[in-house]
Tab-separated table of all heavy atoms in Angstrom:
chain	number	residue	atom	x	y	z
D	689	ASP	N	-62.960	-19.372	24.073
D	689	ASP	CA	-63.556	-18.094	24.467
D	689	ASP	C	-62.593	-16.938	24.181
D	689	ASP	O	-63.017	-15.863	23.750
D	689	ASP	CB	-63.922	-18.101	25.947
D	689	ASP	CG	-65.151	-18.955	26.242
D	689	ASP	OD1	-65.900	-19.250	25.282
D	689	ASP	OD2	-65.348	-19.332	27.407
D	690	HIS	N	-61.323	-17.159	24.442
D	690	HIS	CA	-60.319	-16.130	24.177
D	690	HIS	C	-60.284	-15.801	22.689
D	690	HIS	O	-60.329	-14.629	22.294
D	690	HIS	CB	-58.943	-16.617	24.644
D	690	HIS	CG	-57.844	-15.635	24.398
D	690	HIS	ND1	-57.516	-14.637	25.296
D	690	HIS	CD2	-56.990	-15.499	23.358
D	690	HIS	CE1	-56.515	-13.923	24.815
D	690	HIS	NE2	-56.170	-14.426	23.639
D	691	VAL	N	-60.225	-16.830	21.854
D	691	VAL	CA	-60.150	-16.621	20.403
D	691	VAL	C	-61.385	-15.873	19.893
D	691	VAL	O	-61.270	-14.914	19.127
D	691	VAL	CB	-59.990	-17.963	19.663
D	691	VAL	CG1	-60.082	-17.752	18.145
D	691	VAL	CG2	-58.670	-18.619	20.032
D	692	VAL	N	-62.560	-16.309	20.324
D	692	VAL	CA	-63.788	-15.666	19.857
D	692	VAL	C	-63.851	-14.206	20.281
D	692	VAL	O	-64.181	-13.313	19.485
D	692	VAL	CB	-65.031	-16.440	20.354
D	692	VAL	CG1	-66.306	-15.657	20.061
D	692	VAL	CG2	-65.091	-17.814	19.707
D	693	ASN	N	-63.531	-13.943	21.524
D	693	ASN	CA	-63.589	-12.559	22.012
D	693	ASN	C	-62.595	-11.658	21.314
D	693	ASN	O	-62.907	-10.519	20.965
D	693	ASN	CB	-63.357	-12.527	23.536
D	693	ASN	CG	-64.544	-13.040	24.324
D	693	ASN	OD1	-65.683	-12.848	23.940
D	693	ASN	ND2	-64.279	-13.704	25.438
D	694	VAL	N	-61.388	-12.161	21.074
D	694	VAL	CA	-60.378	-11.339	20.399
D	694	VAL	C	-60.740	-11.143	18.935
D	694	VAL	O	-60.671	-10.020	18.405
D	694	VAL	CB	-58.985	-11.972	20.534
D	694	VAL	CG1	-57.959	-11.191	19.707
D	694	VAL	CG2	-58.544	-12.004	21.999
D	695	THR	N	-61.142	-12.203	18.247
D	695	THR	CA	-61.414	-12.072	16.812
D	695	THR	C	-62.662	-11.231	16.544
D	695	THR	O	-62.745	-10.565	15.499
D	695	THR	CB	-61.537	-13.453	16.145
D	695	THR	OG1	-62.462	-14.274	16.878
D	695	THR	CG2	-60.185	-14.148	16.095
D	696	LYS	N	-63.620	-11.248	17.434
D	696	LYS	CA	-64.772	-10.352	17.264
D	696	LYS	C	-64.324	-8.899	17.305
D	696	LYS	O	-64.823	-8.048	16.544
D	696	LYS	CB	-65.823	-10.629	18.334
D	696	LYS	CG	-66.676	-11.863	18.052
D	696	LYS	CD	-67.780	-12.023	19.095
D	696	LYS	CE	-68.710	-13.174	18.735
D	696	LYS	NZ	-69.795	-13.348	19.741
D	697	GLU	N	-63.382	-8.589	18.182
D	697	GLU	CA	-62.860	-7.225	18.248
D	697	GLU	C	-62.025	-6.886	17.012
D	697	GLU	O	-62.055	-5.764	16.510
D	697	GLU	CB	-62.028	-7.042	19.522
D	697	GLU	CG	-62.836	-7.083	20.804
D	697	GLU	CD	-63.846	-5.955	20.873
D	697	GLU	OE1	-63.520	-4.825	20.457
D	697	GLU	OE2	-64.974	-6.182	21.340
D	698	ILE	N	-61.287	-7.857	16.521
D	698	ILE	CA	-60.510	-7.647	15.295
D	698	ILE	C	-61.441	-7.377	14.127
D	698	ILE	O	-61.195	-6.477	13.303
D	698	ILE	CB	-59.618	-8.875	15.017
D	698	ILE	CG1	-58.505	-8.976	16.075
D	698	ILE	CG2	-58.999	-8.790	13.610
D	698	ILE	CD1	-57.708	-10.263	16.009
D	699	ARG	N	-62.537	-8.120	14.039
D	699	ARG	CA	-63.494	-7.881	12.947
D	699	ARG	C	-64.087	-6.475	13.042
D	699	ARG	O	-64.318	-5.817	12.033
D	699	ARG	CB	-64.604	-8.936	12.993
D	699	ARG	CG	-65.380	-9.025	11.686
D	699	ARG	CD	-66.425	-10.119	11.719
D	699	ARG	NE	-65.894	-11.439	11.910
D	699	ARG	CZ	-65.385	-12.185	10.928
D	699	ARG	NH1	-65.328	-11.707	9.697
D	699	ARG	NH2	-64.922	-13.401	11.184
D	700	ALA	N	-64.313	-6.020	14.269
D	700	ALA	CA	-64.853	-4.668	14.443
D	700	ALA	C	-63.877	-3.614	13.933
D	700	ALA	O	-64.290	-2.550	13.461
D	700	ALA	CB	-65.181	-4.434	15.910
D	701	MET	N	-62.584	-3.900	14.014
D	701	MET	CA	-61.585	-2.949	13.520
D	701	MET	C	-61.701	-2.729	12.009
D	701	MET	O	-61.342	-1.673	11.493
D	701	MET	CB	-60.179	-3.441	13.856
D	701	MET	CG	-59.868	-3.561	15.321
D	701	MET	SD	-58.244	-4.336	15.597
D	701	MET	CE	-58.395	-4.855	17.321
D	702	ALA	N	-62.179	-3.743	11.305
D	702	ALA	CA	-62.305	-3.661	9.852
D	702	ALA	C	-63.719	-3.306	9.403
D	702	ALA	O	-64.000	-3.266	8.202
D	702	ALA	CB	-61.885	-4.992	9.223
D	703	LYS	N	-64.597	-3.048	10.361
D	703	LYS	CA	-65.991	-2.744	10.024
D	703	LYS	C	-66.068	-1.489	9.161
D	703	LYS	O	-65.399	-0.497	9.417
D	703	LYS	CB	-66.811	-2.550	11.295
D	703	LYS	CG	-68.293	-2.379	11.056
D	703	LYS	CD	-69.058	-2.284	12.364
D	703	LYS	CE	-70.554	-2.118	12.109
D	703	LYS	NZ	-71.316	-2.030	13.397
D	704	GLY	N	-66.900	-1.549	8.131
D	704	GLY	CA	-67.082	-0.398	7.265
D	704	GLY	C	-66.196	-0.404	6.033
D	704	GLY	O	-66.396	0.422	5.134
D	705	ARG	N	-65.231	-1.300	5.970
D	705	ARG	CA	-64.399	-1.400	4.769
D	705	ARG	C	-65.246	-1.880	3.587
D	705	ARG	O	-66.170	-2.669	3.744
D	705	ARG	CB	-63.249	-2.381	4.943
D	705	ARG	CG	-62.217	-1.998	5.967
D	705	ARG	CD	-61.033	-2.970	5.922
D	705	ARG	NE	-60.251	-2.796	4.698
D	705	ARG	CZ	-60.131	-3.680	3.727
D	705	ARG	NH1	-60.774	-4.853	3.820
D	705	ARG	NH2	-59.399	-3.438	2.663
D	706	LYS	N	-64.902	-1.427	2.401
D	706	LYS	CA	-65.598	-1.878	1.206
D	706	LYS	C	-65.089	-3.243	0.742
D	706	LYS	O	-65.821	-3.998	0.100
D	706	LYS	CB	-65.426	-0.843	0.090
D	706	LYS	CG	-66.078	0.487	0.395
D	706	LYS	CD	-65.842	1.477	-0.734
D	706	LYS	CE	-66.482	2.829	-0.431
D	706	LYS	NZ	-66.214	3.822	-1.505
D	707	GLY	N	-63.854	-3.547	1.045
D	707	GLY	CA	-63.284	-4.819	0.638
D	707	GLY	C	-63.609	-5.925	1.606
D	707	GLY	O	-63.965	-5.698	2.771
D	708	VAL	N	-63.492	-7.161	1.131
D	708	VAL	CA	-63.758	-8.334	1.957
D	708	VAL	C	-62.622	-8.513	2.968
D	708	VAL	O	-61.457	-8.455	2.616
D	708	VAL	CB	-63.880	-9.590	1.075
D	708	VAL	CG1	-63.951	-10.846	1.945
D	708	VAL	CG2	-65.092	-9.499	0.186
D	709	THR	N	-63.012	-8.738	4.202
D	709	THR	CA	-62.052	-9.045	5.271
D	709	THR	C	-62.437	-10.372	5.875
D	709	THR	O	-63.528	-10.508	6.446
D	709	THR	CB	-62.042	-7.962	6.360
D	709	THR	OG1	-61.771	-6.688	5.776
D	709	THR	CG2	-60.984	-8.261	7.415
D	710	ARG	N	-61.572	-11.356	5.738
D	710	ARG	CA	-61.821	-12.649	6.369
D	710	ARG	C	-60.795	-12.874	7.488
D	710	ARG	O	-59.646	-12.431	7.374
D	710	ARG	CB	-61.772	-13.783	5.347
D	710	ARG	CG	-63.009	-13.805	4.460
D	710	ARG	CD	-63.101	-15.057	3.600
D	710	ARG	NE	-62.226	-14.974	2.445
D	710	ARG	CZ	-62.203	-15.889	1.470
D	710	ARG	NH1	-62.994	-16.952	1.542
D	710	ARG	NH2	-61.389	-15.752	0.456
D	711	ILE	N	-61.233	-13.584	8.507
D	711	ILE	CA	-60.377	-13.865	9.657
D	711	ILE	C	-60.254	-15.359	9.826
D	711	ILE	O	-61.248	-16.081	9.842
D	711	ILE	CB	-60.965	-13.233	10.939
D	711	ILE	CG1	-61.042	-11.704	10.785
D	711	ILE	CG2	-60.109	-13.593	12.156
D	711	ILE	CD1	-61.736	-11.021	11.936
D	712	VAL	N	-59.011	-15.814	9.950
D	712	VAL	CA	-58.758	-17.241	10.210
D	712	VAL	C	-57.950	-17.347	11.490
D	712	VAL	O	-57.263	-16.406	11.907
D	712	VAL	CB	-58.007	-17.924	9.053
D	712	VAL	CG1	-58.883	-17.957	7.799
D	712	VAL	CG2	-56.687	-17.226	8.751
D	713	TYR	N	-58.037	-18.510	12.115
D	713	TYR	CA	-57.262	-18.757	13.317
D	713	TYR	C	-56.140	-19.745	13.017
D	713	TYR	O	-56.342	-20.749	12.340
D	713	TYR	CB	-58.123	-19.330	14.445
D	713	TYR	CG	-57.283	-19.815	15.620
D	713	TYR	CD1	-56.736	-18.891	16.515
D	713	TYR	CD2	-56.985	-21.163	15.781
D	713	TYR	CE1	-55.935	-19.317	17.556
D	713	TYR	CE2	-56.184	-21.594	16.831
D	713	TYR	CZ	-55.648	-20.659	17.713
D	713	TYR	OH	-54.833	-21.071	18.730
D	714	GLY	N	-54.959	-19.459	13.560
D	714	GLY	CA	-53.834	-20.384	13.496
D	714	GLY	C	-53.172	-20.460	14.851
D	714	GLY	O	-53.216	-19.502	15.631
D	715	GLY	N	-52.529	-21.547	15.120
D	715	GLY	CA	-51.876	-21.740	16.422
D	715	GLY	C	-52.306	-23.056	17.008
D	715	GLY	O	-53.246	-23.116	17.810
D	716	SER	N	-51.672	-24.152	16.549
D	716	SER	CA	-52.001	-25.502	17.013
D	716	SER	C	-53.437	-25.885	16.704
D	716	SER	O	-54.090	-26.607	17.474
D	716	SER	CB	-51.721	-25.648	18.516
D	716	SER	OG	-50.384	-25.311	18.813
D	717	ALA	N	-53.949	-25.399	15.576
D	717	ALA	CA	-55.316	-25.725	15.168
D	717	ALA	C	-55.382	-27.127	14.587
D	717	ALA	O	-54.431	-27.612	13.974
D	717	ALA	CB	-55.814	-24.713	14.146
D	718	GLY	N	-56.530	-27.769	14.765
D	718	GLY	CA	-56.723	-29.111	14.251
D	718	GLY	C	-58.175	-29.527	14.361
D	718	GLY	O	-59.059	-28.672	14.459
D	719	PRO	N	-58.473	-30.821	14.379
D	719	PRO	CA	-59.847	-31.283	14.509
D	719	PRO	C	-60.477	-30.768	15.800
D	719	PRO	O	-59.841	-30.746	16.851
D	719	PRO	CB	-59.703	-32.807	14.537
D	719	PRO	CG	-58.414	-33.084	13.868
D	719	PRO	CD	-57.528	-31.940	14.221
D	720	GLY	N	-61.706	-30.327	15.698
D	720	GLY	CA	-62.412	-29.827	16.862
D	720	GLY	C	-62.214	-28.357	17.128
D	720	GLY	O	-62.957	-27.762	17.915
D	721	THR	N	-61.232	-27.739	16.460
D	721	THR	CA	-60.951	-26.326	16.733
D	721	THR	C	-62.039	-25.412	16.171
D	721	THR	O	-62.564	-24.559	16.888
D	721	THR	CB	-59.587	-25.914	16.139
D	721	THR	OG1	-58.557	-26.738	16.692
D	721	THR	CG2	-59.286	-24.453	16.443
């Protein structure tokens, strides 16, 4: 829930850009993440 809520806000920061903005998560990521 923390990751989703934060990354949604991060995506909003880049809203309106003409270039592609992709967001990935790192930090002990693995199967099921």
Side-chain angles (χ1 to χ4, degrees):
D689 287 342
H690 179 87
V691 174
V692 171
N693 286 325
V694 174
T695 51
K696 282 184 174 180
E697 292 297 321
I698 292 171
R699 197 177 299 277
M701 297 173 198
K703 186 177 181 179
R705 294 188 71 246
K706 295 179 181 177
V708 172
T709 303
R710 286 190 282 186
I711 299 174
V712 294
Y713 170 77
S716 304
T721 301

